[in-house]
Amino acid sequence: MKLQTKRTVIGLLGILFLLSLVLVQAMEVVRRREEAGITTAHIAVPVTSKSCVDCHGQPTSNPGIVDHWKGSTHALKGVGCVECHLAQKEDVDGFDHYGAHIATVVTPKDCSRCHEKEFKEFDGSHHSKAGNILASLDNFLAEEVEGFRDDESGHHFFNPHSPTPGRPDITEVNGQASAMVGCLQCHGSKVALMGRDGSKITVDDLLPDEKGVPTNLDALDLIVKTEDGRPKFHPDTWPNTGIGRLNLDGSKGSCSACHSRHDFSPRRARQPENCGKCHLGPDHPQKEIYEESKHGVAFRDLKEHMNLDGESWVLGKDYTQAPTCATCHMSGHSRNDGKVTHDPGERLSWTNRPPVSLVLDTDAEGKVVMETDPKKRRELTVFSAEEKRGNMKQVCAHCHTPDYINGFYKQYDDFVVLFNEKFAKPGQAIMGELTKQELITKTQFDEEIEWTWFYLWHHEGRRARHGASMMAPDYAHWHGMYEVAERFYMELIPQAREIADHAEEHGDKDKADSVRTVINEILARPEHDWMPKKPPAELATSVDDGDNSGDDSVTTPDTSSVEDDDATPPEAEESDTTSDADSDGE
Amino acid sequence: MSQIKRWFQERLPISGLQLAELTNEPVPNHLRRWWWCLGGTPAYLFVVQIVTGILLAFYYQPSPETAYQSVRRITEEVNYGWYIRSVHKWAATLMIAAVILHQMRVYFTAAYRKPREINWMIGMCLLLITLNIGFTGYSLVFEQLSYWGATVAANICDTVPFVGVYAKQLLLGGDSYNENTVPRFYILHAAVLPVTMIGLLVIHIAILRLQGVTELQFEDEPADGPQHFDFFPDHLYTELIAGLVLMILLSVLATIFPATMGPQANPLITPEEIKPEWFFYATFRWLKLFSGTVAVLSMGFIVFTMFVWPFIDSGLRRLTGLDDISFWIGIVGVFLLVGLTTWEALDAH
Amino acid sequence: MTEETALPDQTVDNEPRRTFLLRFPSALMAFGLVAGYGMFASFIGRFLFPSRNRQRRPQYVADLNSFKLGQSMTYHSPAGESVVLSRTGETGTVDDFIALSSVCPHLGCQVHWEGQNNRFFCPCHNGAFDPEGNPTAGPPKDANQTLPRYQLVVQNGLLYIDASTKSLVRTDSQPQALV
């Protein structure tokens, strides 16, 4: 090869080498970009929390707490243990712990030191009031029907009726166990310290001022403390992360109900499973409803593309693939400048919680306006249901056209109104009349009909309405209205008639008649017209016969039942079953 | 300009002409052929290894606590760290391959025969050092495979009668892998072995220069033409071309197959499948074929035979009268080597 | 085999073109070598130049509500530096705060606070600074060097400091120690 050729070859190879290095350069750029997402950030332990981490991070201590914290944004920004657990000298639950004055329970008040806006929103929400269930039906159920509590003294222990082999320490039965574990872990306990006389010292005894400092010093003296000066929590009330927890400093709620400690992962709070700790089950299956809906199906499929780890998580900007619970009820979106709300009620237009759904106009205190006079109602309303619905529509509009959204709301409204008018209000009227006539006691759940009614609105009625609100047809119908209808026609009405008959037998004909009047007036309405009218006695017997009541009523020759033109002809039995089978097949 | 030149020449009494005279070794004609001019390749790669090795040493921390993390840091965080590390790894692979090819060329052209026996033996030393640098370097990553590779290798040493146990202790700095081991491998890899290698290389090349390159005559060349050409600049250009091709190859390999990291070494868990680096496949398979001491001793015997092959060759030729006998033995050897390597590569266990 | 033997055969009239043909490969070679190895050398330079500093990140110090005007506090960074912060304004922005570094601007020694003299003092060359960080004596006064300040950030009513986090606790697993 000639020298000149060699020189040229060297020159060309040099350029090729340069090109290969440009390839290397490109790889480097790509790698840097990727790296930003994959390498874990190094966590610097703030000096104030170094000794906490040194001790609690040991395998023999609680490394889980420390590891969780290391994965948190708090850790990244230098917010350590003491920053949140710090207690003021006056705090009732503060104690000295290796040189720091700290408290075990971190309340929303503590969080509000940094997260003030979130605290205020949450404080105004229905969530924060979840702890005030003392007088509610559900609470009565758990505390007294399922458990035991003496109304007069508040005493809630009773003696075991035989020993538990192997556990000689079981000498008494805590009647509040079901409420503690069942109700309060979602609703929130009233956090209590142990009193020396065995009493619970709660926020009611301490009467804290605005800063959370207790004003009733007598209560302080009663508190049981461990040898190292740590106040003892009453195990009925702590541990608890219920969302409406009533804390010793007077604040309501628990941020860790949704933002699990100690990593406070936004990723987790964005996912439906997070809400599913409480919003599931027979009485409010929101989680299951969501999973059935198109929204939930899309989420499961597209979860990985939803930027769940993103620092910002604004619908329309950071993701649009599918909504989670948080997306619709709380998270920011591109039409409200990404403003997150910690009050999920800000976007709800109906409350489906009570027996009869209410329009969610709220007053200055955030309470549902019950006023019926339109003018007064308008005056009282501070935050109208229409406005709230408008807020929700803004979210919907990221994926749906206005016609579509309005169409959906029409279907939803129609459904709620149907339930209200056909079953809820009549049911309420019947139950009200029975109570008024004193044919049932004031005590709840001691008569069968009270269970029936509770099932109707609290379980089946809510399932139906929630199913309609979040596009789950099966919950709206088969788990919902179908069961509502069966409960109404086949249990509530017959049971009410039976009570009336019973009253008549005992000489209370007036009472019986007034109840019967209410029932008959209801059943005379066109929406109940499909049902053949029969004398009450006969209907009552047929119920006793068993589940074939419908067949009986048709086959029993009865002239009164065919007086209407469109009453079911005798041969309808067969055609009914056929149509039923048809609809099943669909 | 001329003043500066004079200033230097007054102090360093050597002229450009003398320098040219010294370096401008006449190069035999057969080196014009591309396949015959690759002797410089290992040397070039060795330079690449020195440069990239020094660079890596800026960040590498040789202790069991930090070794793996520092390699991870080089690979993931340092600017172009992955590239430098990958080039170092690929250059090592190519260098070992080049050394082996160079040795084969020397062997099959019988260039080790009198008077070049000593240089052959020095070359054998260089081969062994190259392999050892490869082995120690691999261990420095402190990942599972390299950790267990080193452990197994040390215990192989142990099976040698009498001296084995001392060799193992010397290698590991204790009875088993301990906190002394990584620093030991590091100093062997980065100082002792390379410096020895440089020394031997100088002697290797000096002897070559004293004796001249073995000259090969090809049939298609005119016997009466010039038998040599200039080193400078003609052969230098050839070397530059080879060097650039190698750099391109290394960069492309580093980009497409960058050096990865296995899981960190864990003294409590042996991986299901352990394998040494590819250049030890044949050895590894041999050790599996024969048990313990037999395998090690036979391995040592083979290396010794290779070492003194120039003398065995002359003996064999005298005994058999066949001039080509070493060539055919070599063919068998290469088949054996390739066979064992392929076997090991394909076999999972 | 070199071109020198071929040169006399060339005619004289195409001298410029011939020169170019002779010089072009040399220039190309020089360019190729410089470009290729030059780029490689630049990679080496970048390799040796430390990757971006991951050891500084804004760290939480206090919330603005509890850090009142006129107050001062000492922040200990994870790396062990003590930083004296004071609040001198009430605008609610980062300008309200001063965070003095304890690194002397003269030659990098650590200053310490002398309570009795109400000054920061540097033992290396007797430099001194007032509580605001202005030089009052020694070489810093001659050169009018003030104590450097830490970068502060105010976000959502919280004060962060851009301090060193050098003593790192890795989130990934620690290497296992060999027994």
Side-chain angles (χ1 to χ4, degrees):
Chain A
M1 203 185 273
K2 284 191 176 180
L3 279 184
Q4 288 291 48
T5 328
K6 277 193 177 176
R7 287 194 186 114
T8 314
V9 169
I10 290 173
L12 293 175
L13 282 174
I15 291 165
L16 205 59
F17 180 34
L18 181 72
L19 290 178
S20 73
L21 290 180
V22 170
L23 189 70
V24 171
Q25 169 83 54
M27 276 283 285
E28 172 82 4
V29 172
V30 171
R31 195 185 61 83
R32 288 242 161 263
R33 247 182 241 144
E34 277 175 2
E35 189 198 313
I38 50 166
T39 48
T40 46
H42 299 304
I43 296 303
V45 179
V47 171
T48 45
S49 302
K50 197 173 172 302
S51 41
C52 318
V53 169
D54 285 350
C55 253
H56 287 278
Q58 294 295 320
T60 48
S61 185
N62 331 100
I65 293 180
V66 176
D67 283 347
H68 254 210
W69 170 79
K70 281 182 183 170
S72 72
T73 311
H74 277 166
L76 209 60
K77 293 195 168 184
V79 177
C81 317
V82 176
E83 279 74 13
C84 302
H85 281 281
L86 190 71
Q88 302 300 319
K89 276 275 164 281
E90 312 81 53
D91 283 354
V92 58
D93 55 343
F95 59 97
D96 286 318
H97 186 61
Y98 296 98
H101 196 65
I102 60 166
T104 306
V105 182
V106 176
T107 70
K109 202 180 220 90
D110 297 321
C111 302
S112 77
R113 285 204 292 262
C114 293
H115 304 281
E116 203 181 343
K117 173 182 159 288
E118 289 77 11
F119 168 75
K120 278 186 183 150
E121 286 166 358
F122 173 78
D123 206 45
S125 74
H126 195 66
H127 267 158
S128 76
K129 292 160 195 106
N132 294 321
I133 51 167
L134 212 63
S136 77
L137 270 182
D138 305 33
N139 205 49
F140 174 76
L141 254 181
E143 288 189 341
E144 301 202 25
V145 181
E146 297 166 18
F148 165 65
R149 191 189 64 204
D150 187 78
D151 271 337
E152 311 270 294
S153 61
H155 185 68
H156 57 263
F157 288 98
F158 61 91
N159 291 328
H161 306 301
S162 66
T164 304
R167 285 294 302 272
D169 57 310
I170 299 178
T171 54
E172 57 181 10
V173 180
N174 186 346
Q176 293 302 290
S178 177
M180 262 155 46
V181 176
C183 310
L184 302 185
Q185 288 301 347
C186 277
H187 282 269
S189 64
K190 188 179 276 186
V191 179
L193 294 168
M194 283 282 235
R196 264 200 297 277
D197 54 356
S199 65
K200 292 177 182 169
I201 300 169
T202 69
V203 60
D204 299 340
D205 307 301
L206 297 164
L207 307 169
D209 62 12
E210 256 178 40
K211 285 183 176 165
V213 179
T215 55
N216 179 7
L217 299 179
D218 295 342
L220 293 184
D221 292 338
L222 267 178
I223 296 167
V224 177
K225 297 196 173 182
T226 58
E227 277 173 22
D228 51 350
R230 187 187 303 213
K232 265 190 93 148
F233 284 98
H234 198 293
D236 281 8
T237 64
W238 178 261
N240 185 285
T241 55
I243 201 161
R245 198 177 61 203
L246 301 161
N247 301 297
L248 294 169
D249 60 2
S251 67
K252 283 188 218 136
S254 152
C255 300
S256 57
C258 305
H259 300 283
S260 319
R261 60 185 181 235
H262 282 93
D263 60 354
F264 314 101
S265 153
R267 180 188 170 89
R268 209 171 309 141
R270 287 162 184 166
Q271 296 186 57
E273 286 74 13
N274 204 48
C275 312
K277 177 196 166 191
C278 295
H279 290 274
L280 82 173
D283 56 336
H284 43 41
Q286 286 101 333
K287 171 80 183 350
E288 294 92 329
I289 284 167
Y290 170 78
E291 278 165 7
E292 187 199 334
S293 75
K294 282 286 187 201
H295 287 163
V297 173
F299 169 74
R300 272 197 300 282
D301 184 25
L302 299 170
K303 190 176 168 182
E304 298 312 316
H305 307 286
M306 283 182 55
N307 204 15
L308 285 166
D309 283 313
E311 197 178 326
S312 130
W313 200 60
V314 173
L315 175 66
K317 197 176 123 234
D318 302 309
Y319 71 103
T320 49
Q321 284 76 3
T324 68
C325 311
T327 302
C328 299
H329 296 289
M330 306 184 87
S331 300
H333 52 79
S334 64
R335 287 157 196 257
N336 74 348
D337 297 326
K339 191 184 156 293
V340 181
T341 174
H342 278 74
D343 177 2
E346 284 183 15
R347 298 174 189 172
L348 297 180
S349 41
W350 285 107
T351 169
N352 294 321
R353 197 183 55 83
V356 177
S357 290
L358 300 171
V359 172
L360 205 51
D361 292 331
T362 45
D363 61 16
E365 285 174 9
K367 292 211 169 74
V368 184
V369 178
M370 303 298 281
E371 181 58 56
T372 48
D373 177 64
K375 188 162 167 285
K376 281 187 191 160
R377 194 177 166 90
R378 261 198 305 282
E379 278 164 10
L380 281 170
T381 301
V382 172
F383 192 0
S384 75
E386 203 49 45
E387 211 177 322
K388 289 173 176 146
R389 179 168 290 191
N391 287 342
M392 183 62 94
K393 283 182 177 178
Q394 293 295 309
V395 183
C396 308
H398 283 80
C399 299
H400 305 293
T401 59
D403 282 351
Y404 192 98
I405 300 165
N406 292 333
F408 158 76
Y409 269 113
K410 179 81 175 67
Q411 292 178 5
Y412 173 37
D413 284 350
D414 286 352
F415 188 94
V416 171
V417 173
L418 174 67
F419 169 80
N420 273 0
E421 300 303 323
K422 183 160 180 182
F423 299 110
K425 287 182 183 174
Q428 223 171 22
I430 292 167
M431 292 304 289
E433 189 60 28
L434 287 171
T435 315
K436 195 178 140 202
Q437 298 301 331
E438 293 178 329
L439 292 178
I440 52 176
T441 59
K442 282 234 166 9
T443 307
Q444 294 292 328
F445 299 109
D446 61 332
E447 277 111 2
E448 189 187 12
I449 196 165
E450 284 160 347
W451 293 81
T452 302
W453 171 233
F454 192 68
Y455 269 120
L456 195 156
W457 71 267
H458 184 271
H459 285 45
E460 293 136 6
R462 279 197 197 160
R463 287 205 293 261
R465 289 171 282 167
H466 289 149
S469 71
M470 294 192 289
M471 290 83 66
D474 195 59
Y475 277 90
H477 186 248
W478 291 116
H479 292 303
M481 283 299 240
Y482 164 78
E483 297 198 10
V484 167
E486 191 213 9
R487 190 78 68 188
F488 184 83
Y489 289 120
M490 296 304 137
E491 291 184 25
L492 189 76
I493 299 276
Q495 282 166 13
R497 284 196 199 280
E498 195 187 350
I499 291 168
D501 292 349
H502 199 69
E504 194 177 349
E505 281 168 27
H506 285 76
D508 279 336
K509 189 159 190 319
D510 294 348
K511 290 182 176 185
D513 282 344
S514 64
V515 170
R516 286 183 187 132
T517 314
V518 172
I519 295 172
N520 290 336
E521 271 172 10
I522 288 167
L523 290 183
R525 295 170 186 167
E527 66 266 24
H528 298 290
D529 221 17
W530 66 274
M531 227 176 124
K533 304 291 175 287
K534 282 167 297 180
E538 223 161 295
L539 202 79
T541 349
S542 61
V543 170
D544 288 343
D545 284 351
D547 59 348
N548 268 7
S549 53
D551 295 355
D552 282 353
S553 69
V554 172
T555 44
T556 311
D558 193 333
T559 41
S560 67
S561 72
V562 271
E563 63 188 69
D564 277 324
D565 288 344
D566 47 0
T568 319
E571 63 270 23
E573 186 197 352
E574 216 173 50
S575 67
D576 261 351
T577 24
T578 325
S579 70
D580 197 38
D582 280 348
S583 63
D584 262 347
E586 273 166 18
Chain B
M1 196 66 187
S2 61
Q3 267 187 327
I4 300 169
K5 209 171 173 183
R6 204 172 55 236
W7 191 92
F8 271 107
Q9 270 178 358
E10 276 167 15
R11 280 153 187 84
L12 300 168
I14 189 164
S15 71
L17 276 174
Q18 282 171 307
L19 259 180
E21 181 71 31
L22 267 175
T23 54
N24 212 355
E25 168 85 1
V27 183
N29 254 345
H30 73 266
L31 264 81
R32 285 200 182 286
R33 287 161 192 273
W34 287 103
W35 283 114
W36 300 98
C37 66
L38 297 179
T41 305
Y44 184 86
L45 289 169
F46 186 49
V47 174
V48 171
Q49 290 303 68
I50 290 174
V51 172
T52 52
I54 288 173
L55 290 173
L56 292 173
F58 274 90
Y59 292 101
Y60 181 71
Q61 299 170 6
S63 90
E65 287 84 23
T66 52
Y68 186 82
Q69 288 302 335
S70 67
V71 176
R72 189 196 57 76
R73 196 166 148 248
I74 291 170
T75 317
E76 290 176 6
E77 289 177 25
V78 178
N79 294 319
Y80 298 101
W82 65 274
Y83 173 65
I84 302 289
R85 184 174 161 234
S86 303
V87 167
H88 196 70
K89 189 201 147 183
W90 278 110
T93 298
L94 294 187
M95 181 171 162
I96 289 163
V99 167
I100 293 170
L101 287 176
H102 172 68
Q103 196 193 16
M104 284 185 184
R105 200 276 294 156
V106 170
Y107 183 88
F108 287 110
T109 56
Y112 53 82
R113 284 178 184 165
K114 190 185 161 190
R116 296 187 172 85
E117 296 99 326
I118 293 174
N119 224 9
W120 165 267
M121 289 195 279
I122 291 171
M124 270 304 293
C125 290
L126 285 169
L127 172 74
L128 293 177
I129 289 175
T130 309
L131 291 176
N132 271 304
I133 293 182
F135 167 74
T136 48
Y138 181 53
S139 300
L140 291 182
V141 185
F142 205 62
E143 58 184 21
Q144 271 286 64
L145 283 182
S146 66
Y147 173 87
W148 289 101
T151 303
V152 171
N155 287 318
I156 289 169
C157 284
D158 206 11
T159 57
V160 178
F162 310 119
V163 293
V165 62
Y166 301 108
K168 174 186 168 183
Q169 291 202 341
L170 201 61
L171 186 67
L172 296 181
D175 284 330
S176 62
Y177 216 107
N178 59 45
E179 74 273 14
N180 294 331
T181 313
V182 175
R184 194 162 286 232
F185 280 171
Y186 178 66
I187 206 70
L188 284 175
H189 178 79
V192 178
L193 293 174
V195 168
T196 314
M197 193 161 184
I198 291 169
L200 287 174
L201 262 178
V202 169
I203 299 172
H204 196 63
I205 293 169
I207 293 177
L208 172 87
R209 294 291 301 276
L210 287 172
Q211 295 170 333
V213 178
T214 313
E215 290 172 25
L216 301 165
Q217 187 70 47
F218 289 92
E219 286 146 11
D220 57 344
E221 274 176 11
D224 53 344
Q227 297 295 309
H228 298 89
F229 65 102
D230 285 345
F231 180 85
F232 187 85
D234 199 344
H235 191 66
L236 182 69
Y237 286 169
T238 311
E239 295 295 334
L240 275 176
I241 290 174
L244 279 170
V245 169
L246 282 172
M247 288 311 281
I248 293 166
L249 186 65
L250 286 174
S251 295
V252 170
L253 283 171
T255 319
I256 301 175
F257 307 106
T260 52
M261 293 186 75
Q264 183 173 357
N266 182 345
L268 303 176
I269 300 166
T270 307
E272 281 296 303
E273 185 184 330
I274 65 166
K275 283 214 170 153
E277 286 277 74
W278 64 271
F279 43 86
F280 282 123
Y281 276 5
T283 323
F284 200 54
R285 179 48 64 178
W286 186 268
L287 292 172
K288 283 185 193 169
L289 288 177
F290 305 97
S291 61
T293 314
V294 177
V296 176
L297 288 183
S298 61
M299 208 68 228
F301 179 73
I302 291 170
V303 171
F304 176 75
T305 312
M306 286 168 72
F307 216 82
V308 296
W309 192 258
F311 307 108
I312 294 174
D313 170 67
S314 68
L316 280 176
R317 276 192 292 159
R318 223 172 317 119
L319 276 177
T320 59
L322 297 168
D323 204 40
D324 277 349
I325 182 143
S326 284
F327 181 85
W328 296 112
I329 292 174
I331 295 286
V332 173
V334 170
F335 271 109
L336 206 60
L337 187 69
V338 173
L340 286 173
T341 303
T342 324
W343 186 1
E344 180 59 34
L346 296 179
D347 196 5
H349 287 284
Chain C
M1 246 330 261
T2 53
E3 330 55 60
E4 271 76 19
T5 52
L7 281 182
D9 299 338
Q10 302 289 325
T11 48
V12 189
D13 54 58
N14 60 355
E15 182 77 22
R17 198 170 74 88
R18 195 171 59 88
T19 318
F20 172 76
L21 280 176
L22 270 178
R23 285 192 183 152
F24 175 72
S26 303
L28 185 67
M29 176 175 80
F31 173 78
L33 287 174
V34 169
Y37 284 100
M39 182 91 164
F40 187 72
S42 81
F43 283 11
I44 290 176
R46 296 279 293 123
F47 176 84
L48 290 176
F49 189 77
S51 184
R52 83 205 114 119
N53 195 344
R54 295 166 152 261
Q55 303 183 341
R56 292 186 90 84
R57 199 181 324 111
Q59 296 285 300
Y60 169 80
V61 180
D63 59 300
L64 296 198
N65 293 337
S66 60
F67 195 172
K68 301 268 174 0
L69 178 68
Q71 279 185 335
S72 68
M73 64 175 287
T74 309
Y75 169 79
H76 298 277
S77 84
E81 308 152 327
S82 342
V83 185
V84 178
L85 290 110
S86 48
R87 182 161 190 174
T88 58
E90 281 216 294
T91 58
T93 65
V94 79
D95 302 327
D96 291 359
F97 300 93
I98 296 176
L100 289 178
S101 159
S102 55
V103 178
C104 180
H106 178 223
L107 288 173
C109 293
Q110 287 281 319
V111 301
H112 61 263
W113 176 249
E114 283 185 346
Q116 73 276 23
N117 296 327
N118 196 34
R119 63 174 189 176
F120 292 101
F121 183 71
C122 176
C124 288
H125 299 93
N126 296 337
F129 306 87
D130 69 11
E132 303 266 279
N134 300 312
T136 55
K141 171 136 174 83
D142 301 337
N144 196 26
Q145 293 164 311
T146 50
L147 276 180
R149 293 181 177 186
Y150 280 87
Q151 290 282 313
L152 296 170
V153 181
V154 169
Q155 209 178 42
N156 298 330
L158 306 177
L159 181 66
Y160 297 87
I161 186 167
D162 190 28
S164 178
T165 60
K166 216 159 36 193
S167 69
L168 292 172
V169 175
R170 288 188 187 281
T171 44
D172 42 14
S173 61
Q174 295 281 344
Q176 278 133 326
L178 285 163
V179 185

